[in-house]
Amino acid sequence: MNVTQWLLFILLIQLIHFLGTSKLYKKAGRKPWEAAIPVYNAVILMKIIRRPGWWVILLFIPIINLLMFPVIWVETIRSFGRNSLIDTWLVILTLGFYIYYVNYSLDVEYIKDRSLHPKSGVGEWVSSIVFAIVAATLVHTYFIQPYVIPTGSLERTLRIGDLLFVSKFHYGARTPMTTIAAPMVHDTLPVLGIRSYLKKPQLPYFRLPGFTKVDRNDIVVFSWPADTVRAFFKKEKGVVKPIDKKSNYVKRCVGLPGDSLEVRDGYVFINGEKLVLSDRAKPQYDYMLYAQKGVSSRLLIEFGVSEFNRTYVAQSLNPQQIMALQSSGYAVYSQNNPPIILTDSKGISVDLIRSLGLSLREITDRERQATLTEEMATKLRNNSQIDSVVKIIESKGVPGYNIFPQDESYPWNNDNFGPIYIPAKGSTIPLSVEVLPLYKKIIRDYENNTVSVSGNQVLINGEVTTEYTFKQDYYWMMGDNRDHSEDSRSWGYVPENHIVGTPIFIWLSFDNFNEGIANWKPRWDRIFTTVHGSGEPVSYFRYFLMALAAWFIFDFVRKRRKKAKK
């Protein structure tokens, strides 16, 4: 909806409110015209229903207002003697239009000194729940949002199973654009698995003031620009979602508006200079390891390597064993003789081996691929059991799979990419058929223009153009797990209006997070650690426990003293 449409919509709402409440305003000792003036009518209504004036603010906060409207409807009819359970359900189920009946009813009178306390325990409970949800939604939408790391794109900087608090106020909270949505859930209703929002009406993009801007090396949570899936991890495609309901991704910002970015042999260069990452960043790359006696899985695990595959040979496998292995997530190649089982670095569960009566032997190949930090690679090179460690690099000029801008004129790959200009708001670029693939998505999808090509001419909104001026800032996001991250190298720029916030605190962390709650193992050294800062992260969990214990002791002593005085 544009500004004119929103103004007309607001005027319509005011007209509906006036027609449905003007007589009630008069019965409450106010002037009927007071029900027609936007905002002022809400202030007067709060006085009529004897509720605090700051409730008016909640009525104009997107999503929060959806929770407040039913409360106001109920409070309004109760101010005029309609207190029964039937009345309450009627006003809620008719979306407030039951107030029309009350407004034009001759037998209602304004109750000036009505009690504001619920008449039953259930009423007290419902009231507390509603306002707890309002408070939680306010915090979730505008200040702090919990987030869990679902994929390994930032391993080992942020790990799968890290539970984070994401600050929305650092960069300034993005106000909801989707006006009708379930509170405190994202794009899908839990259990039901259905969409949690209505696509219309939509508010224009607006961001509250923050105290910092996105900086190079920041870890940023953002709405995935290329999101066309109904829910995260669902394979369904072709779904058009509002910006604020797109799946949330977390990556490292390596390129800022106005930068020229290039990737050379896996390393990022900004404006011609190699990017220096923060000391907490732990980028990983794929390496090939060679050893004459075979690259031992046990050795890799001892060095903290967790991203490599293991291969087992079975003497034989019957159909029941094959089915059990496959249902446990292992790849089974039963057509081989002998059969082969492929697993991740954890291998096959000992309990499963025993229960299935398997006879297995692990193959230790002379060359194995593993994902390593540079520190791991250096340690392995210095180990006598390893002959050599070679980084795997995609050659320059060889097109990679699913690489932006998906155009044969740009034969880029994950390790050799660019150079590419990252647009800044107000900057102008020369536009030609050759350059268009780099910016077509911005011009068409993010800045809402039509784009076409006629011969050697570029047409925007039907007019021939040779340049384009950008309407907002853009960023370049990449994962620290460089060879296992779907990031800007796949889908391009992240618009400023897609920025959500920055993670600030890890409050819980579990190994085996994607293997079911029964297999979770706490990473004690990561619990209660900060995300940003320099040096190795320090866990404040024990200090939290000490403070908690001190509080319980203080509270116990205080209560004992009070009891003794009595």
Side-chain angles (χ1 to χ4, degrees):
M1 293 176 69
N2 57 36
V3 175
T4 302
Q5 290 171 326
W6 268 109
L7 287 174
L8 292 174
F9 178 73
I10 292 170
L11 289 175
L12 176 62
I13 295 298
Q14 299 307 312
L15 178 61
I16 291 172
H17 178 77
F18 172 73
L19 294 175
T21 61
S22 58
K23 291 183 179 295
L24 296 181
Y25 274 64
K26 185 177 181 179
K27 289 181 179 182
R30 308 299 306 192
K31 302 294 183 182
W33 58 262
E34 290 180 303
I37 302 176
V39 183
Y40 177 73
N41 55 11
V43 174
I44 299 304
L45 184 59
M46 293 308 109
K47 293 180 179 180
I48 292 173
I49 67 176
R50 298 182 61 214
R51 290 300 183 178
W54 56 264
W55 277 26
V56 174
I57 299 173
L58 300 181
L59 294 177
F60 292 92
I61 299 177
I63 306 302
I64 302 295
N65 53 15
L66 297 180
L67 301 170
M68 291 302 299
F69 286 148
V71 175
I72 300 301
W73 298 335
V74 172
E75 291 291 315
T76 299
I77 63 171
R78 287 181 177 177
S79 296
F80 293 89
R82 301 288 179 161
N83 297 309
S84 71
L85 184 61
I86 293 177
D87 289 315
T88 300
W89 278 112
L90 280 173
V91 76
I92 291 174
L93 294 176
T94 61
L95 301 180
F97 280 97
Y98 179 66
I99 295 174
Y100 270 68
Y101 171 77
V102 178
N103 183 59
Y104 293 103
S105 179
L106 298 176
D107 63 340
V108 297
E109 295 292 334
Y110 177 59
I111 304 173
K112 185 176 182 180
D113 298 319
R114 75 181 179 99
S115 173
L116 299 180
H117 298 288
K119 295 181 178 181
S120 66
V122 173
E124 186 77 39
W125 180 78
V126 171
S127 178
S128 299
I129 290 294
V130 168
F131 282 97
I133 293 174
V134 168
T137 302
L138 189 65
V139 172
H140 183 275
T141 305
Y142 295 95
F143 296 97
I144 296 287
Q145 176 182 340
Y147 184 80
V148 61
I149 300 296
T151 67
S153 66
L154 278 168
E155 293 275 343
R156 306 213 157 214
T157 308
L158 291 179
R159 308 193 64 180
I160 296 173
D162 281 349
L163 279 68
L164 311 168
F165 285 132
V166 173
S167 165
K168 294 186 174 182
F169 58 83
H170 272 67
Y171 305 138
R174 182 183 64 184
T175 59
M177 289 166 265
T178 303
T179 57
I180 302 177
M184 293 190 299
V185 296
H186 194 56
D187 56 1
T188 307
L189 289 175
V191 182
L192 298 178
I194 60 176
R195 195 173 67 196
S196 64
Y197 59 92
L198 297 181
K199 293 183 179 180
K200 293 181 180 181
Q202 286 279 311
L203 286 171
Y205 165 71
F206 178 76
R207 188 178 295 277
L208 297 172
F211 61 84
T212 187
K213 292 185 177 182
V214 178
D215 200 359
R216 190 174 291 111
N217 272 329
D218 280 0
I219 296 177
V220 180
V221 175
F222 55 92
S223 302
W224 179 28
D227 190 7
T228 55
V229 296
R230 181 174 55 84
F232 202 57
F233 283 139
K234 300 289 185 182
K235 297 299 182 182
E236 180 183 356
K237 293 186 177 181
V239 178
V240 178
K241 301 168 74 172
I243 292 173
D244 58 337
K245 291 302 175 182
K246 292 182 177 181
S247 301
N248 286 334
Y249 265 32
V250 58
K251 308 286 181 186
R252 184 181 299 279
C253 177
V254 297
L256 297 175
D259 282 345
S260 176
L261 177 141
E262 186 176 4
V263 181
R264 305 176 193 167
D265 293 338
Y267 296 105
V268 177
F269 286 76
I270 301 295
N271 302 323
E273 296 185 4
K274 187 177 179 180
L275 174 66
V276 178
L277 296 171
S278 62
D279 60 354
R280 284 197 180 182
K282 298 177 180 178
Q284 294 190 127
Y285 301 88
D286 282 348
Y287 290 81
M288 192 62 75
L289 285 70
Y290 300 90
Q292 187 64 31
K293 295 182 179 180
V295 180
S296 164
S297 297
R298 182 176 297 178
L299 177 67
L300 295 178
I301 292 171
E302 286 177 1
F303 278 82
V305 183
S306 60
E307 293 185 53
F308 63 93
N309 291 330
R310 300 173 73 168
T311 304
Y312 294 85
V313 172
Q315 286 187 354
S316 63
L317 291 175
N318 61 46
Q320 291 76 20
Q321 290 171 326
I322 293 172
M323 186 177 297
L325 287 166
Q326 290 175 336
S327 64
S328 298
Y330 304 118
V332 181
Y333 300 92
S334 56
Q335 70 275 14
N336 289 63
N337 189 18
I340 290 175
I341 305 166
L342 189 66
T343 79
D344 60 14
S345 61
K346 295 174 184 175
I348 302 176
S349 164
V350 174
D351 292 337
L352 185 63
I353 292 174
R354 289 173 178 169
S355 65
L356 295 178
L358 298 175
S359 178
L360 303 175
R361 175 175 58 88
E362 183 175 2
I363 298 175
T364 305
D365 291 329
R366 293 181 179 181
E367 61 177 54
R368 299 180 73 175
Q369 181 176 316
T371 305
L372 314 172
T373 64
E374 293 187 338
E375 181 182 5
M376 291 175 181
T378 299
K379 289 181 178 179
L380 284 166
R381 285 191 182 102
N382 294 331
N383 187 274
S384 60
Q385 297 181 47
I386 301 296
D387 296 333
S388 64
V389 179
V390 180
K391 182 184 286 188
I392 300 172
I393 298 293
E394 295 181 82
S395 300
K396 186 174 182 179
V398 177
Y401 170 73
N402 190 32
I403 297 296
F404 181 82
Q406 285 88 32
D407 188 280
E408 60 183 12
S409 301
Y410 297 90
W412 298 340
N413 55 55
N414 274 329
D415 295 320
N416 286 282
F417 184 99
I420 191 169
Y421 171 73
I422 304 170
K425 182 179 180 179
S427 63
T428 301
I429 60 163
L431 196 59
S432 64
V433 172
E434 291 74 26
V435 173
L436 182 61
L438 298 176
Y439 303 105
K440 183 177 182 179
K441 190 171 182 65
I442 286 181
I443 299 169
R444 183 189 61 198
D445 297 342
Y446 305 150
E447 302 197 351
N448 302 315
N449 301 286
T450 61
V451 182
S452 59
V453 174
S454 177
N456 290 323
Q457 294 181 318
V458 177
L459 289 80
I460 297 180
N461 299 324
E463 297 184 2
V464 176
T465 184
T466 58
E467 61 181 25
Y468 184 79
T469 301
F470 297 99
K471 299 175 184 177
Q472 62 176 316
D473 286 330
Y474 292 85
Y475 300 86
W476 198 263
M477 307 290 184
M478 288 176 61
D480 287 354
N481 195 354
R482 292 293 167 80
D483 294 319
H484 300 276
S485 172
E486 183 181 299
D487 50 37
S488 285
R489 291 170 295 179
S490 294
W491 30 256
Y493 319 90
V494 175
E496 193 272 340
N497 62 7
H498 283 56
I499 300 296
V500 174
T502 182
I504 55 175
F505 192 69
I506 300 172
W507 60 282
L508 273 178
S509 183
F510 296 101
D511 263 329
N512 308 326
F513 186 76
N514 292 331
E515 298 177 17
I517 192 170
N519 297 305
W520 289 4
K521 295 180 181 178
R523 301 186 188 110
W524 298 108
D525 61 329
R526 295 184 67 81
I527 296 176
F528 276 54
T529 59
T530 57
V531 175
H532 299 288
S534 58
E536 286 296 318
V538 176
S539 173
Y540 296 95
F541 186 54
R542 61 177 178 178
Y543 302 109
F544 167 76
L545 294 178
M546 291 166 60
L548 194 63
W551 163 254
F552 281 122
I553 293 171
F554 168 77
D555 189 53
F556 174 77
V557 172
R558 180 172 58 88
K559 289 179 179 177
R560 286 285 298 271
R561 286 180 177 176
K562 281 185 178 181
K563 190 175 182 180
K565 287 180 181 180
K566 292 180 180 179

